[in-house]
Amino acid sequence: MTEPAVPDTAPDVEPDMTVDNRGRGCASGIARVQRALEDLSDGAVLVVRSTDRRAKQEYPRLAEQTPHELLAIESERGRLLRNEYATYLRIGRE
């Protein structure tokens, strides 16, 4: 079974909130994203910036397990030869 392809370019939408988790540990990063998901209303767009290479696995899994829609995950080479990721999620409420 193949996983659905995740778009790798930013959608043409203005984000309602950005969470900058670049350089943060996993636990504090997750807590910040959870707070943002709770604060945003249905249809809002959240961008999560991170340096965690697991973003390409974790955020698609989050979208599968919640009503949130994964719009894209951009990847680019950042400082110090590490990748930086920008994950775009559209908030969904059941």
Side-chain angles (χ1 to χ4, degrees):
M1 182 173 165
T2 60
E3 294 182 21
V6 175
D8 60 1
T9 56
D12 189 22
V13 296
E14 191 66 34
D16 296 285
M17 181 183 286
T18 300
V19 174
D20 189 349
N21 280 340
R22 291 176 289 187
R24 292 191 180 273
C26 185
S28 90
I30 289 170
R32 294 178 70 183
V33 170
Q34 285 177 332
R35 280 193 300 270
L37 291 172
E38 291 170 3
D39 289 346
L40 290 168
S41 61
D42 188 45
V45 174
L46 171 66
V47 176
V48 181
R49 300 199 178 282
S50 68
T51 50
D52 187 346
R53 65 178 176 257
R54 294 176 294 179
K56 288 195 168 205
Q57 291 82 37
E58 296 299 324
Y59 289 108
R61 191 172 305 136
L62 171 72
E64 286 176 6
Q65 297 172 357
T66 66
H68 309 308
E69 177 187 2
L70 179 63
L71 301 175
I73 300 177
E74 286 186 309
S75 175
E76 64 180 46
R77 182 67 70 186
R79 298 180 313 215
L80 303 175
L81 300 177
R82 66 180 179 186
N83 282 343
E84 294 187 5
Y85 304 93
T87 301
Y88 294 79
L89 292 166
R90 184 176 316 278
I91 306 307
R93 301 282 178 227
E94 290 182 316

